[in-house]
Amino acid sequence: GNYAFQTQPMGFPGGHGVPPVQNPPFVGGVVWMPIPPSLPNCPPGLEYLTQIDQILIHQEIELLEVLTGFETSNKYEIKNALGQRVYFAAEDTDCLTRNCCGPSRPFTIHIIDNLGHEVITLQRPLRCSSCCCPCCLQELEVQAPPGTTVGYVVQNWHACLPKFTIQDEKKMDILKITGPCIVCGCCEDVNFEVKSLDETVAVGRISKQWTGFVKEAFTDADNFGITFPMDLDVKMKAVMIGACFLIDFMFFEHGSDKKQRTGIWQ
């Protein structure tokens, strides 16, 4: 019930704490979101999430991958609604795993803040995603800070729909995620709705954004948007970020995979 909606002290006018720096820092030519003050009972580095209710995730285009089809490790910019970078994410997998397992590969994704500190770690083991094998479905663990589990994203078996459950560190169910039966992003966004446990109340949304014919056809570099309530517990916001990466790999990662481009759920 109330676990996932714990209002955090806000580090800006109207909230508590010291206001953040007004001029966003420039690091390597990139405008970063101002560093918020530390907050009690908030994992270090997640203070940024107390101030936003929307996140944009942009996957970087790898030229080598476009020209050769050779699968490279993914990198992502995570921005707020103003276009300021909040985090940078990088996949940590070996070359053999990426090119043999494709989008089904196990991975570790390191998410760092503008000070270069790793604040979130996502770990996905090698699992099956087919609805014909309900005993070994997808799962992703979210740690914040690294080494401290704050939640899980667990795939739920369903014959037609992509469905997931967001859990806390004790594997207690907190929220549900439901995607469309036909995961097809041709000329439109694909929305995965985040809902309450009884699935009667919409809590947020994870959207795969349409990026145009050329980019969709020749690259697997995707754009996503995540929305959630401002007062959602920052740990659950971090888990929703993890859910977005899992959804990307499961449905949109392989640009040359015809099955994924037709968007048929299997």
Side-chain angles (χ1 to χ4, degrees), residues 130-135 137 155-159 161 163:
S130 172
C131 64
C132 298
C133 301
C135 59
L137 297 179
Q155 182 188 7
N156 305 132
W157 184 88
H158 195 281
L161 299 174
K163 303 193 74 168

PDB file of all heavy atoms in Angstrom, residues 130-135 137 155-159 161 163:
ATOM      1  N   SER A 130      10.462 -17.228 -23.130  1.00  0.00           N
ATOM      2  CA  SER A 130       9.363 -17.798 -23.898  1.00  0.00           C
ATOM      3  C   SER A 130       8.194 -18.145 -22.993  1.00  0.00           C
ATOM      4  O   SER A 130       8.371 -18.650 -21.881  1.00  0.00           O
ATOM      5  CB  SER A 130       9.823 -19.056 -24.638  1.00  0.00           C
ATOM      6  OG  SER A 130       8.728 -19.712 -25.244  1.00  0.00           O
ATOM      7  N   CYS A 131       6.974 -17.897 -23.488  1.00  0.00           N
ATOM      8  CA  CYS A 131       5.788 -18.232 -22.710  1.00  0.00           C
ATOM      9  C   CYS A 131       5.613 -19.741 -22.604  1.00  0.00           C
ATOM     10  O   CYS A 131       4.797 -20.226 -21.818  1.00  0.00           O
ATOM     11  CB  CYS A 131       4.537 -17.600 -23.340  1.00  0.00           C
ATOM     12  SG  CYS A 131       4.156 -18.234 -24.988  1.00  0.00           S
ATOM     13  N   CYS A 132       6.384 -20.504 -23.414  1.00  0.00           N
ATOM     14  CA  CYS A 132       6.297 -21.968 -23.348  1.00  0.00           C
ATOM     15  C   CYS A 132       7.125 -22.530 -22.199  1.00  0.00           C
ATOM     16  O   CYS A 132       7.037 -23.722 -21.902  1.00  0.00           O
ATOM     17  CB  CYS A 132       6.775 -22.570 -24.669  1.00  0.00           C
ATOM     18  SG  CYS A 132       5.790 -22.107 -26.103  1.00  0.00           S
ATOM     19  N   CYS A 133       7.940 -21.697 -21.569  1.00  0.00           N
ATOM     20  CA  CYS A 133       8.807 -22.147 -20.471  1.00  0.00           C
ATOM     21  C   CYS A 133       8.564 -21.268 -19.244  1.00  0.00           C
ATOM     22  O   CYS A 133       9.398 -20.414 -18.903  1.00  0.00           O
ATOM     23  CB  CYS A 133      10.274 -22.094 -20.878  1.00  0.00           C
ATOM     24  SG  CYS A 133      10.683 -23.110 -22.314  1.00  0.00           S
ATOM     25  N   PRO A 134       7.423 -21.440 -18.569  1.00  0.00           N
ATOM     26  CA  PRO A 134       7.079 -20.536 -17.463  1.00  0.00           C
ATOM     27  C   PRO A 134       7.877 -20.764 -16.191  1.00  0.00           C
ATOM     28  O   PRO A 134       7.735 -20.014 -15.236  1.00  0.00           O
ATOM     29  CB  PRO A 134       5.592 -20.861 -17.229  1.00  0.00           C
ATOM     30  CG  PRO A 134       5.447 -22.283 -17.677  1.00  0.00           C
ATOM     31  CD  PRO A 134       6.384 -22.441 -18.843  1.00  0.00           C
ATOM     32  N   CYS A 135       8.744 -21.777 -16.189  1.00  0.00           N
ATOM     33  CA  CYS A 135       9.462 -22.098 -14.958  1.00  0.00           C
ATOM     34  C   CYS A 135      10.770 -21.321 -14.824  1.00  0.00           C
ATOM     35  O   CYS A 135      11.404 -21.350 -13.770  1.00  0.00           O
ATOM     36  CB  CYS A 135       9.750 -23.594 -14.892  1.00  0.00           C
ATOM     37  SG  CYS A 135      10.739 -24.204 -16.277  1.00  0.00           S
ATOM     38  N   LEU A 137      11.542 -17.772 -16.105  1.00  0.00           N
ATOM     39  CA  LEU A 137      11.308 -16.510 -16.789  1.00  0.00           C
ATOM     40  C   LEU A 137      12.321 -15.450 -16.354  1.00  0.00           C
ATOM     41  O   LEU A 137      13.124 -15.656 -15.448  1.00  0.00           O
ATOM     42  CB  LEU A 137       9.875 -16.041 -16.529  1.00  0.00           C
ATOM     43  CG  LEU A 137       8.783 -16.979 -17.069  1.00  0.00           C
ATOM     44  CD1 LEU A 137       7.401 -16.434 -16.732  1.00  0.00           C
ATOM     45  CD2 LEU A 137       8.919 -17.185 -18.576  1.00  0.00           C
ATOM     46  N   GLN A 155       9.493 -11.259 -14.459  1.00  0.00           N
ATOM     47  CA  GLN A 155       8.526 -11.524 -15.521  1.00  0.00           C
ATOM     48  C   GLN A 155       7.463 -12.494 -15.033  1.00  0.00           C
ATOM     49  O   GLN A 155       7.760 -13.487 -14.369  1.00  0.00           O
ATOM     50  CB  GLN A 155       9.237 -12.110 -16.745  1.00  0.00           C
ATOM     51  CG  GLN A 155       8.318 -12.376 -17.925  1.00  0.00           C
ATOM     52  CD  GLN A 155       9.009 -13.122 -19.051  1.00  0.00           C
ATOM     53  OE1 GLN A 155      10.150 -13.558 -18.905  1.00  0.00           O
ATOM     54  NE2 GLN A 155       8.334 -13.281 -20.174  1.00  0.00           N
ATOM     55  N   ASN A 156       6.206 -12.210 -15.358  1.00  0.00           N
ATOM     56  CA  ASN A 156       5.090 -13.089 -15.020  1.00  0.00           C
ATOM     57  C   ASN A 156       4.629 -13.843 -16.257  1.00  0.00           C
ATOM     58  O   ASN A 156       4.583 -13.274 -17.359  1.00  0.00           O
ATOM     59  CB  ASN A 156       3.916 -12.287 -14.448  1.00  0.00           C
ATOM     60  CG  ASN A 156       4.326 -11.445 -13.253  1.00  0.00           C
ATOM     61  OD1 ASN A 156       4.009 -10.265 -13.175  1.00  0.00           O
ATOM     62  ND2 ASN A 156       5.063 -12.029 -12.317  1.00  0.00           N
ATOM     63  N   TRP A 157       4.284 -15.113 -16.072  1.00  0.00           N
ATOM     64  CA  TRP A 157       3.831 -15.898 -17.214  1.00  0.00           C
ATOM     65  C   TRP A 157       2.454 -15.434 -17.666  1.00  0.00           C
ATOM     66  O   TRP A 157       1.544 -15.233 -16.861  1.00  0.00           O
ATOM     67  CB  TRP A 157       3.764 -17.377 -16.859  1.00  0.00           C
ATOM     68  CG  TRP A 157       3.391 -18.220 -18.049  1.00  0.00           C
ATOM     69  CD1 TRP A 157       4.239 -18.745 -18.972  1.00  0.00           C
ATOM     70  CD2 TRP A 157       2.071 -18.584 -18.453  1.00  0.00           C
ATOM     71  NE1 TRP A 157       3.543 -19.424 -19.924  1.00  0.00           N
ATOM     72  CE2 TRP A 157       2.203 -19.347 -19.645  1.00  0.00           C
ATOM     73  CE3 TRP A 157       0.803 -18.341 -17.937  1.00  0.00           C
ATOM     74  CZ2 TRP A 157       1.103 -19.876 -20.318  1.00  0.00           C
ATOM     75  CZ3 TRP A 157      -0.298 -18.860 -18.614  1.00  0.00           C
ATOM     76  CH2 TRP A 157      -0.141 -19.622 -19.788  1.00  0.00           C
ATOM     77  N   HIS A 158       2.317 -15.243 -18.972  1.00  0.00           N
ATOM     78  CA  HIS A 158       1.022 -14.931 -19.575  1.00  0.00           C
ATOM     79  C   HIS A 158       1.082 -15.365 -21.034  1.00  0.00           C
ATOM     80  O   HIS A 158       2.105 -15.174 -21.709  1.00  0.00           O
ATOM     81  CB  HIS A 158       0.714 -13.436 -19.479  1.00  0.00           C
ATOM     82  CG  HIS A 158      -0.718 -13.100 -19.747  1.00  0.00           C
ATOM     83  ND1 HIS A 158      -1.240 -13.021 -21.027  1.00  0.00           N
ATOM     84  CD2 HIS A 158      -1.754 -12.848 -18.902  1.00  0.00           C
ATOM     85  CE1 HIS A 158      -2.528 -12.711 -20.948  1.00  0.00           C
ATOM     86  NE2 HIS A 158      -2.870 -12.611 -19.686  1.00  0.00           N
ATOM     87  N   ALA A 159       0.005 -15.935 -21.523  1.00  0.00           N
ATOM     88  CA  ALA A 159      -0.012 -16.482 -22.879  1.00  0.00           C
ATOM     89  C   ALA A 159       0.030 -15.406 -23.954  1.00  0.00           C
ATOM     90  O   ALA A 159       0.506 -15.657 -25.061  1.00  0.00           O
ATOM     91  CB  ALA A 159      -1.242 -17.358 -23.069  1.00  0.00           C
ATOM     92  N   LEU A 161       0.194 -11.502 -23.110  1.00  0.00           N
ATOM     93  CA  LEU A 161       0.699 -10.183 -22.754  1.00  0.00           C
ATOM     94  C   LEU A 161       2.064 -10.264 -22.081  1.00  0.00           C
ATOM     95  O   LEU A 161       2.321 -11.183 -21.299  1.00  0.00           O
ATOM     96  CB  LEU A 161      -0.277  -9.478 -21.805  1.00  0.00           C
ATOM     97  CG  LEU A 161      -1.682  -9.202 -22.326  1.00  0.00           C
ATOM     98  CD1 LEU A 161      -2.541  -8.633 -21.214  1.00  0.00           C
ATOM     99  CD2 LEU A 161      -1.641  -8.262 -23.517  1.00  0.00           C
ATOM    100  N   LYS A 163       4.057  -9.273 -19.129  1.00  0.00           N
ATOM    101  CA  LYS A 163       3.683  -8.795 -17.796  1.00  0.00           C
ATOM    102  C   LYS A 163       4.857  -8.980 -16.844  1.00  0.00           C
ATOM    103  O   LYS A 163       5.601  -9.965 -16.915  1.00  0.00           O
ATOM    104  CB  LYS A 163       2.443  -9.548 -17.275  1.00  0.00           C
ATOM    105  CG  LYS A 163       1.236  -9.459 -18.188  1.00  0.00           C
ATOM    106  CD  LYS A 163      -0.035  -9.923 -17.504  1.00  0.00           C
ATOM    107  CE  LYS A 163      -0.521  -8.896 -16.519  1.00  0.00           C
ATOM    108  NZ  LYS A 163      -1.888  -9.178 -16.037  1.00  0.00           N
TER     109      LYS A 163
END
